[in-house]
Amino acid sequence: MCPSNHNRAASALFRVIGGAGTPCLAEACQHATGNDMHVRELRFLALWIPLTAWVATGSFLCRWMSWPAAALLALPAGFILLSLLPLALGGRSPVTQWRSWLLVCTAWALFHRHSGAVAGFFAWAWIALFLLNAAACFWLGLLKIPGRIANSGAAWRMAACIAAHLCALAAGAFFGWPWAVAGGACLAALYCLAVLRPSCQWLGPVRCRTDDGSILITIDDGPDPHDTPKLLDLLDRQQVRAVFFMIGGKAAAHPELAREVLRRGHQIGNHTMTHPQASFWCAGPWRTRREIADCQDVLERVTGVKPRYFRAPAGHRNLFTHPVAAALGLEVMAWSRRGFDAVETDADKVLARILTKLGPGDIVLVHEATPIAQRVLEGVLTAEGML
Ligand SMILES: [Zn+2]
């Protein structure tokens, strides 16, 4: 067996061919001296990419000259193309270069798949190579094979997402635009499910239940000068400890309340800096990081304690939430019972929703800074005491 951390292949395909869990040739485990690449992959790509560049340039030049002249002229032209394109695309690591070549060559292949015999063969071969790589990405992502690249679950989720979109585009290119639209719609529906369903684990692990079977009360959207002191008194009376998911901006405005929550023995959690509940699901990587990291900084500055849990506004995460949270040492927490008390004004209806089926291991979500916050918490605490 070849240990996976010795497999330095740049492409997902060669990481699968010569990777962990697959018996492989001794040669596949060796590295090409000096450039840290998988030797079999290096040999393949060193032949395949120049050949493709030659054929692509030659088939382009064929429009103006006979094919022998085009083939001859394509040699230096292809060489220049090979030298310039990686520079233009950027990236000095073998992985970045490989990805650039894969994208460029697959794009060329999609436009030239109906070309003459030679160019058509190379075009289809690149399309096949692209699909094999997409399949290898899924394979590595699904199996979570440890290794330099596959170690990051987030990277493979992103790769799978990009590969799925490219497959939809390829379907459009092959079978017509309705297929691309249908593929895009299916992907959009799956993405909506992944980001809008708070307990969905597709984007990364989400805690929805407690490990020890106890019921955990979590209180979102504070601290609030009107509600927080009264909620703390209610919790004290029942001797229950809760997690307060605080908004960074509110904690900065009321630092004494954040400190008081900790002083009374509760935990604080990160609930973003500004609570952008309408747009967090589609936030980009920088905004996601800003929202989570800024809140973490504020909470740590005003309380001296680093929060351990993160909860997204309305539970809506995006593609970057889990990598950012993991980088900041945060565990993403959702809930298993809620009563929609942020939008519902009838406390009885809210309590009915929460308390139906409430049982061991449940994580209960309630909000502060609402007109019914105290009545809802009181109802939950009373019911919990009776369980
Ligand atoms: Zn919230």
Side-chain angles (χ1 to χ4, degrees), residues 10-139:
S11 65
L13 179 62
F14 276 86
R15 283 187 69 79
V16 169
I17 291 173
T22 323
C24 60
L25 301 172
E27 181 198 51
C29 292
Q30 293 166 9
H31 305 171
T33 323
N35 58 11
D36 201 26
M37 279 183 80
H38 192 293
V39 70
R40 214 156 38 152
E41 179 187 60
L42 188 68
R43 282 177 191 164
F44 172 73
L45 295 182
L47 187 71
W48 191 242
I49 292 179
L51 268 177
T52 308
W54 183 38
V55 169
T57 320
S59 68
F60 181 72
L61 293 174
C62 263
R63 296 172 192 189
W64 295 286
M65 56 192 78
S66 63
W67 73 262
L72 209 64
L73 196 61
L75 274 174
F79 181 76
I80 293 167
L81 187 77
L82 269 176
S83 312
L84 291 182
L85 215 55
L87 277 178
L89 293 168
R92 272 190 282 175
S93 80
V95 177
T96 321
Q97 284 184 5
W98 157 248
R99 283 180 193 156
S100 306
W101 277 115
L102 184 66
L103 287 178
V104 168
C105 291
T106 309
W108 168 81
L110 285 174
F111 284 106
H112 289 84
R113 64 188 194 279
H114 298 311
S115 302
V118 181
F121 167 77
F122 273 83
W124 281 106
W126 267 103
I127 290 166
L129 195 61
F130 176 84
L131 293 175
L132 280 171
N133 259 284
C137 279
F138 278 111
W139 174 262

Side-chain angles (χ1 to χ4, degrees), residues 220-221 247 271 275 277 312-314 367:
D220 285 16
D221 295 2
I247 298 168
H271 197 36
H275 201 269
Q277 60 183 21
H367 289 86

Side-chain angles (χ1 to χ4, degrees), residues 11-377:
S11 65
L13 179 62
F14 276 86
R15 283 187 69 79
V16 169
I17 291 173
T22 323
C24 60
L25 301 172
E27 181 198 51
C29 292
Q30 293 166 9
H31 305 171
T33 323
N35 58 11
D36 201 26
M37 279 183 80
H38 192 293
V39 70
R40 214 156 38 152
E41 179 187 60
L42 188 68
R43 282 177 191 164
F44 172 73
L45 295 182
L47 187 71
W48 191 242
I49 292 179
L51 268 177
T52 308
W54 183 38
V55 169
T57 320
S59 68
F60 181 72
L61 293 174
C62 263
R63 296 172 192 189
W64 295 286
M65 56 192 78
S66 63
W67 73 262
L72 209 64
L73 196 61
L75 274 174
F79 181 76
I80 293 167
L81 187 77
L82 269 176
S83 312
L84 291 182
L85 215 55
L87 277 178
L89 293 168
R92 272 190 282 175
S93 80
V95 177
T96 321
Q97 284 184 5
W98 157 248
R99 283 180 193 156
S100 306
W101 277 115
L102 184 66
L103 287 178
V104 168
C105 291
T106 309
W108 168 81
L110 285 174
F111 284 106
H112 289 84
R113 64 188 194 279
H114 298 311
S115 302
V118 181
F121 167 77
F122 273 83
W124 281 106
W126 267 103
I127 290 166
L129 195 61
F130 176 84
L131 293 175
L132 280 171
N133 259 284
C137 279
F138 278 111
W139 174 262
L140 288 169
L142 284 173
L143 291 188
K144 290 192 173 62
I145 295 172
R148 192 166 56 127
I149 306 172
N151 227 355
S152 162
W156 287 109
R157 283 188 180 92
M158 298 228 185
C161 182
I162 292 165
H165 281 82
L166 289 173
C167 284
L169 275 178
F174 287 126
F175 307 118
W177 64 266
W179 283 88
V181 173
C186 287
L187 288 171
L190 288 174
Y191 184 71
C192 285
L193 197 64
V195 299
L196 300 181
R197 203 164 147 255
S199 59
C200 185
Q201 313 266 342
W202 295 350
L203 298 174
V206 182
R207 175 178 286 278
C208 297
R209 303 187 69 78
T210 60
D211 289 332
D212 58 2
S214 61
I215 294 175
L216 176 66
I217 294 176
T218 60
I219 302 169
D220 285 16
D221 295 2
D224 179 74
H226 180 254
D227 279 337
T228 308
K230 292 180 176 129
L231 299 185
L232 286 171
D233 289 345
L234 280 171
L235 290 162
D236 272 356
R237 213 175 299 157
Q238 299 281 341
Q239 295 193 317
V240 170
R241 297 287 162 259
V243 180
F244 285 73
F245 280 98
M246 295 184 178
I247 298 168
K250 286 191 178 183
H254 308 287
E256 72 291 345
L257 286 176
R259 287 192 285 270
E260 182 64 8
V261 167
L262 278 170
R263 198 186 67 74
R264 303 256 200 128
H266 305 284
Q267 285 193 63
I268 55 168
N270 181 324
H271 197 36
T272 69
M273 191 64 195
T274 64
H275 201 269
Q277 60 183 21
S279 58
F280 192 71
W281 67 274
C282 60
W286 289 277
R287 187 165 165 230
T288 303
R289 182 165 182 94
R290 217 167 39 238
E291 281 289 344
I292 303 176
D294 287 359
C295 179
Q296 194 78 346
D297 286 346
V298 165
L299 292 177
E300 200 178 348
R301 197 178 66 236
V302 301
T303 65
V305 173
K306 206 181 225 175
R308 193 179 136 198
Y309 297 110
F310 169 75
R311 176 171 286 163
H316 299 166
R317 291 146 299 126
N318 59 52
L319 210 53
F320 313 102
T321 308
H322 287 271
V324 169
L328 294 169
L330 287 160
E331 185 180 347
V332 179
M333 187 189 278
W335 54 83
S336 53
R337 308 296 319 151
R338 70 166 159 180
F340 298 97
D341 53 340
V343 287
E344 175 67 73
T345 50
D346 186 338
D348 293 332
K349 281 189 189 166
V350 169
L351 282 169
R353 288 190 195 115
I354 294 175
L355 301 178
T356 316
K357 296 183 190 163
L358 179 69
D362 270 329
I363 294 177
V364 180
L365 162 65
V366 295
H367 289 86
E368 51 185 321
T370 72
I372 56 170
Q374 292 159 45
R375 282 171 57 207
V376 169
L377 183 64

